[in-house]
Amino acid sequence: MTGDSARRWYRRLLHLAPPRLRARHGAEMEEAFLHAWGEARGAGPLAAAGVWLRAAGDLLMASLRALIGSGQRAGAFPSERRSWMLGTELRYAFRSFRRQRSATALVVTMLTLGIAANIVVFSLINSLFLRPFQFAEPDRLVYFNERAPRWNLERVGINYPDFVQWRKDARVFESLALYSDTSFNLADDQGALRILGGQLTYDFLTVVGLRPIVGRFFTAEEDRPNAARVTVISERMWRDRFGADPSAVGKTLRLNGIPHEIVGVLPRAAEFPFEALAWVPLAGDPNQEGQSYSWDGIGRLKPGVSAQEAETDLLRAHQPIWETKDKDKNVSPLVRPLREELVQDFGTIATALFAAVTLLLAIACANVAAVMLARAIARRREMGIRLAVGANRLRLLRQLFVENVLLAIFGGIAGVAVGRWAFHLLVTSVGDGLPYWVSPALDGRIVAFSVLLTVATTVLFGWAPALHAVRGDLRSAMNDSVGGTTASPGGRRTLTWLVAAEFTIASILLAGGGLLFRAFDQVRHVNPGFSADHVLTFSVALPSANYKDGPARIAFWDRLLERLRATPGVEAASVITCPPLSCHWGNFYRIEGRPPLKPGESNPVVLTRVASDGYFESMKIRLKAGRFFTPEDGRTGSPQVVIVNENFVRTFWPTETDVIGKRIAFNGPKNPWMDVIGVTGEVKHYGLEQPMRPGLYFPAQMLPERTGGMAVMIRTAGDPEAFTPTARLIVQQLDPTLPLYRIRTMEQALARSMQTRAVYSWMLAVFAGLALVLALGGTYGVTSYLVTQRTREIGIRMAMGAGAADIVRSILRGSLTAIVIGMVLGLASVVGLARLLGDMLFGVPPHDPLIHATAAVALILAAILANWLPARRAARTDPMVSLKI
Amino acid sequence: MAQQLKSHWYHILLSLAGGARHGLAIARDVRQSSTGGLRLWPATLYGSLEALSDLGWIEEIDDPSRRPDASERKRYYGITRAGRAALDGETQRLADLVRLARAVSRRQGV
């Protein structure tokens, strides 16, 4: 920008200043500005932009000061009133707001609701998508895993040797790492504690682009089996336990009873996965055969590479694995953008919310437009008179502009306040339901964006009516309103269709929200397959350092259950590896009498749980055939037994009626056969909305090695939560180094599994309600205006003998037709649009008659109410009065 | 003059106490004497000059160096007696304040 053009622009800006100042000092002000601008230009474009902003602010402040001063001085210097235009305009604006109190309140309310909803939803979407992790260049980060469609698993977990192979041959990756969440018992003189942690391969920090704040990260040598025990701790733990003392590095931490040397501290941003407090090397063995599929992967791509290309690359690197150990090609690599992976189904939800809030804002805009239009038409006479006595058109427009901006500012301020409050409320209510990496916060940019949006909306929608009011010839403007008769047909038609459009959108939101709410209701009424009331659950992990073998573990659980069952108030107690709504351990089994699998044949993975006797009784799981476990089942020497679920029977013995006594075995020819002794009903292990897999239970004594970490299930007579201290006491009496963790009632677990759905269903319900209120308010405003305009006509009609009922009917008929058309359009489009919601609908049909009928009734009632109130008022007017106006 | 004076007014008066100046020179002077801390933006500067003139604390004076044909004349301002009194009053107020602050911090042994 040259000095000349800067001068020109500043001269334009000068119009913001009070005219007197500009007239007297304009030239010198330009010089002063150019002086500052010239200085800043040397310091770069940012500084120059800053000068422009400051200068504009300076001018605005000056006119505000003049404005405030004008009130006090108006009397003393009457001649100056003319010069301070903005002041006059503001005063006029307030006067006009006072005169049209209800219209003003209506517009501000619409704007408030629209902005508040916007702020809430955009902040939510922002927290979810735009700023979730603090890793460097998050767009280049991908999540990878292995998929195994034949095992009925979209993600099977990564096999360590596969990963080593990929790391060796991948070309488009800058670096790859494996991670897994875990937790540790951390016992010291301060007591026993369970902390979240992670297992990472040595390249993890390179992938996420972070550095230890103290010390170092694992070396490749430490990331090997039987290497020295080292750990890296998080900044939080460093501060809390070590007072942020750098000498913490080198100290020892006892994780799961084993001393680990602390080698480094990672910044807060590295708390991945979950809110990990300590990490240990994953220490995989590339050479051992038959390893499980269990890890998750995170990788950094080279610049410009897509996740799709990365998957192709890994597939190429994967070829040798298919040629050697996986000839059936059961598993193959899978790569997705990390963000998409972490957000998962939140994506659809956010899109739906985004759509809903956009529609809501559209209604608010239509409302503002309608009310503004009505205001403008109503003021045609005022404008006409002002024009006639010589007012400047530009000045009238500026007056209307100031009014619109003021309205927008009021709406903006109220909207931000309400939005902040609502977002806070929402975040508190979701609590743990939000993904762990989301740090919900109101973003200043979003608030600014929303306010800007409304100012734009109001000015834009207020502008057209303003033009409408000022434009056109004076005579018709005066004639139009002098008689106080009906408004111009053009204006009336526009208003009617704006109202109809509002009802279209409102019906979309109402029916859409209704469908989702019905889906939520249906999910809530899904039978979980167990009885959640009066059940307390918590987990206890036995560190292998102190509980070296299976018998030692079983002995502990036996003693614990014995103690618990002897405690008053306990109706039943048991332990299980994975209670409903928690973990997953999958396995493959041979079925006796079934030919070995042909290549390519599907082999669904089986959810495998290890439970003590009394588990089914304490959870009240239904028995479909056979019997439950007894304390003798699984003891050494007794027959090997297993209990399967109905889904297992359907999958593997689809034609059999009686499966008791049939035999299965772990995969591998040498494993012994086990008898099926019982069949249980379906337990919704993965959540009420998720399909169940084939599953089975082993008695704990049969797989004692597998009982290192168990969930304890206690059915109490009274409040299950109140039993927690007693339970903790009993565990600590047996072993004071054992912390209890994941403590909750099954009812809480069930509610938490539905929390996300609950939150978005409620949000959409609130939006639907708001949409209805907005449509009602807008219609009321418009009808009120139209009726006021028709006062004289109504007076004439009544004088001619029309009854009140006739008047009301004629008014209702006028707008209801348009509204019903709008509503039908809206409901029809819901049927099409709802398909996009997919799983969110949980099987509720998009044309669900109950929801559509309810929405239609609510909309019609709202429309009638909005029209009837002003109609009744009009019908009550004394014709003598209305004719005299 | 117990009432506090706006700080940029004070600085403007202070600058003019050192001799008559025009607007931009005042701004430069203020910026220097406040070691860069106070920048008077155009509308603030000239608005203040207007207000101070209205109060009678400063007055417009003839440009000592003006050639008769200069088309864009710069307005020169000088401080009046009332202005000087206001300036002295504020200086006294500030000095009292500093004395008080020193006394307090001494008592506390800061």
Side-chain angles (χ1 to χ4, degrees):
Chain A
M1 189 185 265
T2 63
D4 273 349
S5 65
R7 182 189 293 276
R8 263 202 312 280
W9 278 102
Y10 188 73
R11 199 170 288 164
R12 263 167 235 173
L13 265 185
L14 267 179
H15 287 266
L16 289 172
R20 185 175 126 172
L21 194 64
R22 191 182 51 188
R24 274 177 63 82
H25 299 282
E28 280 183 83
M29 286 169 78
E30 276 171 34
E31 291 306 322
F33 171 76
L34 280 175
H35 186 74
W37 179 77
E39 255 174 49
R41 195 165 53 149
L46 218 63
V51 165
W52 280 107
L53 275 179
R54 297 287 299 274
D58 169 59
L59 292 171
L60 274 175
M61 283 310 292
S63 62
L64 268 181
R65 268 197 302 273
L67 194 67
I68 295 163
S70 78
Q72 301 158 359
R73 287 202 223 155
F77 307 101
S79 62
E80 291 191 4
R81 244 191 282 173
R82 209 174 306 130
S83 49
W84 283 314
M85 298 274 262
L86 191 57
T88 323
E89 273 146 11
L90 283 177
R91 273 200 303 277
Y92 279 167
F94 281 112
R95 209 177 291 158
S96 119
F97 292 158
R98 256 204 307 279
R99 237 186 356 249
Q100 302 187 308
R101 246 182 240 117
S102 62
T104 309
L106 208 58
V107 170
V108 172
T109 312
M110 315 277 171
L111 289 174
T112 304
L113 294 178
I115 299 189
N118 250 282
I119 287 183
V120 170
V121 168
F122 279 113
S123 296
L124 198 68
I125 292 176
N126 180 47
S127 307
L128 287 174
F129 294 103
L130 307 179
R131 17 163 272 144
F133 16 61
Q134 301 158 40
F135 299 154
E137 296 183 73
D139 293 333
R140 280 165 58 201
L141 291 178
V142 290
Y143 169 86
F144 58 90
N145 204 319
E146 301 197 66
R147 58 159 72 94
R150 258 174 242 144
W151 299 343
N152 196 15
L153 283 175
E154 174 57 22
R155 280 172 184 65
V156 61
I158 299 165
N159 180 275
Y160 190 76
D162 289 6
F163 166 70
V164 173
Q165 166 67 28
W166 296 349
R167 183 162 62 183
K168 188 157 63 78
D169 281 354
R171 285 183 197 150
V172 304
F173 284 83
E174 243 167 41
S175 46
L176 300 93
L178 292 186
Y179 69 90
S180 169
D181 57 303
T182 179
S183 48
F184 305 107
N185 281 2
L186 182 64
D188 56 13
D189 24 300
Q190 297 167 25
L193 196 72
R194 187 77 180 174
I195 60 163
L196 292 175
Q199 290 169 279
L200 305 172
T201 55
Y202 69 90
D203 23 23
F204 177 79
L205 270 205
T206 325
V207 172
V208 297
L210 293 173
R211 284 208 192 122
I213 46 178
V214 183
R216 59 175 179 84
F217 196 59
F218 314 129
T219 61
E221 287 68 44
E222 283 161 348
D223 186 19
R224 276 180 197 155
N226 308 317
R229 302 287 191 162
V230 291
T231 179
V232 167
I233 61 172
S234 78
E235 189 182 350
R236 256 195 311 154
M237 185 183 208
W238 184 50
R239 292 194 187 288
D240 294 351
R241 282 184 91 87
F242 299 99
D245 183 358
S247 72
V249 171
K251 288 198 172 131
T252 309
L253 207 60
R254 285 185 84 85
L255 298 174
N256 290 342
I258 301 165
H260 285 68
E261 189 198 337
I262 300 173
V263 296
V265 180
L266 295 192
R268 251 212 111 119
E271 288 186 7
F272 180 90
F274 300 101
E275 296 188 303
L277 289 177
W279 298 269
V280 295
L282 190 133
D285 184 349
N287 302 316
Q288 191 196 329
E289 290 197 4
Q291 289 187 42
S292 68
Y293 291 84
S294 45
W295 311 108
D296 292 287
I298 179 169
R300 179 172 293 278
L301 301 181
K302 290 181 178 160
V305 178
S306 73
Q308 193 57 48
E309 288 161 346
E311 187 168 310
T312 320
D313 184 48
L314 282 194
L315 200 62
R316 182 189 50 72
H318 193 77
Q319 292 303 321
I321 296 164
W322 280 349
E323 281 155 22
T324 54
K325 65 173 194 193
D326 182 22
K327 293 207 175 72
D328 293 344
K329 298 187 179 178
N330 275 323
V331 277
S332 58
L334 161 152
V335 179
R336 295 181 64 190
L338 182 64
R339 180 169 287 161
E340 205 175 287
E341 172 64 24
L342 292 182
V343 173
Q344 294 258 17
D345 44 342
F346 277 87
T348 333
I349 297 165
T351 316
L353 286 178
F354 182 77
V357 81
T358 312
L359 290 178
L360 198 65
L361 194 69
I363 299 191
C365 289
N367 259 334
V368 171
V371 176
M372 292 276 195
L373 187 58
R375 264 166 58 95
I377 296 174
R379 289 171 69 186
R380 280 193 69 158
R381 184 175 178 194
E382 176 201 332
M383 295 294 162
I385 292 173
R386 289 169 74 174
L387 284 173
V389 299
N392 176 334
R393 258 173 226 267
L394 194 71
R395 203 162 153 214
L396 280 188
L397 275 181
R398 197 152 57 166
Q399 168 70 43
L400 289 169
F401 178 76
V402 167
E403 283 178 24
N404 293 345
V405 171
L406 267 186
L407 283 177
I409 289 175
F410 293 153
I413 292 172
V416 170
V418 174
R420 280 183 57 142
W421 170 77
F423 186 66
H424 180 76
L425 196 75
L426 184 77
V427 169
T428 341
S429 75
V430 186
D432 298 347
L434 276 178
Y436 61 90
W437 39 263
V438 170
S439 45
L442 263 191
D443 193 317
R445 285 171 307 177
I446 287 174
V447 173
F449 168 76
S450 306
V451 172
L452 219 65
L453 193 71
T454 22
V455 174
T457 306
T458 325
V459 170
L460 194 75
F461 283 89
W463 200 238
L467 280 177
H468 182 78
V470 174
R471 196 191 47 196
D473 66 318
L474 278 178
R475 204 142 32 108
S476 84
M478 304 289 282
N479 278 348
D480 237 15
S481 9
V482 157
T485 50
T486 326
S488 70
R492 226 166 74 183
R493 219 174 306 134
T494 319
L495 282 177
T496 315
W497 287 114
L498 269 173
V499 165
E502 270 177 38
F503 267 83
T504 310
I505 303 176
S507 53
I508 293 177
L509 278 176
L510 210 58
L515 288 174
L516 284 174
F517 217 74
R518 191 168 160 109
F520 177 42
D521 193 56
Q522 297 210 343
V523 169
R524 253 192 321 192
H525 287 98
V526 167
N527 178 4
F530 60 90
S531 158
D533 61 299
H534 291 92
V535 177
L536 174 73
T537 170
F538 57 85
S539 296
V540 176
L542 306 177
S544 52
N546 304 337
Y547 296 84
K548 286 197 166 49
D549 53 3
R553 295 173 192 173
I554 291 293
F556 174 84
W557 300 121
D558 278 349
R559 269 188 302 151
L560 177 63
L561 290 182
E562 192 184 322
R563 285 281 197 83
L564 283 172
R565 285 167 184 164
T567 310
V570 173
E571 290 187 346
S574 57
V575 294
I576 183 166
T577 46
C578 291
L581 310 169
S582 70
C583 49
H584 164 87
W585 178 39
N587 264 303
F588 299 109
Y589 296 91
R590 277 185 297 140
I591 314 292
E592 192 181 30
R594 287 240 306 200
L597 286 175
K598 290 185 279 294
E601 195 173 344
S602 96
N603 182 18
V605 75
V606 176
L607 168 67
T608 306
R609 287 154 290 186
V610 179
S612 71
D613 68 283
Y615 171 71
F616 304 98
E617 293 86 341
S618 57
M619 293 292 282
K620 294 194 177 164
I621 292 168
R622 274 160 307 142
L623 182 67
K624 292 290 177 171
R627 63 172 178 87
F628 287 143
F629 294 138
T630 66
E632 306 309 314
D633 280 325
R635 288 263 158 92
T636 347
S638 38
Q640 305 264 294
V641 295
V642 61
I643 290 177
V644 300
N645 69 0
E646 280 183 304
N647 197 305
F648 189 98
V649 175
R650 269 203 304 280
T651 311
F652 296 103
W653 296 296
T655 53
E656 310 281 333
T657 47
D658 181 18
V659 300
I660 304 300
K662 291 202 165 286
R663 302 204 297 172
I664 67 170
F666 277 105
N667 253 358
K670 285 185 215 110
N671 288 322
W673 292 109
M674 303 171 284
D675 296 329
V676 172
I677 56 164
V679 178
T680 67
E682 188 117 324
V683 172
K684 288 284 184 186
H685 187 85
Y686 301 98
L688 297 180
E689 298 182 46
Q690 304 301 324
M692 186 48 190
R693 298 177 183 284
L696 54 73
Y697 302 86
F698 290 119
Q701 275 107 338
M702 221 172 91
L703 293 176
E705 307 297 334
R706 280 280 165 190
T707 60
M710 302 288 266
V712 182
M713 319 298 290
I714 303 171
R715 178 167 291 279
T716 57
D719 176 11
E721 215 163 358
F723 190 72
T724 318
T726 319
R728 177 173 284 128
L729 195 69
I730 292 174
V731 173
Q732 313 259 290
Q733 276 169 358
L734 290 176
D735 183 342
T737 70
L738 293 181
L740 270 59
Y741 63 101
R742 225 176 280 142
I743 307 166
R744 60 186 72 163
T745 67
M746 278 315 280
E747 275 176 341
Q748 286 165 348
L750 212 53
R752 189 169 297 183
S753 76
M754 287 183 287
Q755 200 159 32
T756 312
R757 181 175 276 279
V759 165
Y760 72 72
S761 301
W762 275 110
M763 267 180 88
L764 281 166
V766 169
F767 283 178
L770 283 181
L772 194 67
V773 170
L774 285 182
L776 193 142
T779 315
Y780 174 78
V782 167
T783 314
S784 296
Y785 152 74
L786 287 176
V787 168
T788 319
Q789 293 293 297
R790 288 171 66 185
T791 310
R792 194 182 162 95
E793 174 208 326
I794 290 168
I796 295 172
R797 284 193 185 204
M798 291 184 78
M800 302 295 284
D806 298 315
I807 300 296
V808 170
R809 208 177 302 130
S810 97
I811 289 170
L812 284 183
R813 198 167 39 226
S815 51
L816 277 186
T817 323
I819 286 177
V820 168
I821 293 175
M823 192 187 78
V824 169
L825 271 178
L827 291 181
S829 52
V830 164
V831 176
L833 289 172
R835 285 174 220 286
L836 302 177
L837 294 174
D839 288 344
M840 285 168 77
L841 282 184
F842 195 64
V844 173
H847 52 81
D848 188 83
L850 178 71
I851 293 299
H852 281 262
T854 316
V857 169
L859 288 161
I860 299 260
L861 282 180
I864 290 180
L865 186 70
N867 284 294
W868 180 68
L869 289 175
R872 193 186 54 165
R873 207 172 44 221
R876 277 192 187 159
T877 330
D878 182 346
M880 284 315 288
V881 176
S882 55
L883 283 173
K884 269 186 201 150
I885 297 176
Chain B
M1 180 89 227
Q3 215 175 359
Q4 193 184 335
L5 203 60
K6 283 182 189 164
S7 83
H8 50 272
W9 285 15
Y10 182 72
H11 276 97
I12 292 173
L13 290 176
L14 206 56
S15 164
L16 290 179
R21 280 175 176 80
H22 61 78
L24 191 52
I26 295 172
R28 231 178 269 150
D29 204 28
V30 166
R31 197 155 177 223
Q32 256 161 27
S33 65
S34 64
T35 55
L38 187 65
R39 182 166 210 161
L40 293 173
W41 293 89
T44 310
L45 171 64
Y46 291 100
S48 303
L49 290 178
E50 284 286 293
L52 288 170
S53 298
D54 285 355
L55 283 169
W57 289 357
I58 62 174
E59 60 191 354
E60 215 175 298
I61 54 174
D62 285 336
D63 179 350
S65 65
R66 178 163 67 105
R67 289 192 306 274
D69 61 341
S71 54
E72 276 193 22
R73 130 189 140 94
K74 280 187 175 145
R75 290 167 210 266
Y76 274 72
Y77 296 90
I79 194 162
T80 62
R81 285 172 61 136
R84 218 170 265 284
L87 179 66
D88 289 347
E90 176 71 358
T91 308
Q92 189 58 48
R93 193 185 68 82
L94 289 173
D96 289 347
L97 206 60
V98 169
R99 228 182 357 258
L100 178 69
R102 291 238 167 93
V104 169
S105 54
R106 234 194 328 269
R107 227 177 297 141
Q108 291 178 342
V110 178

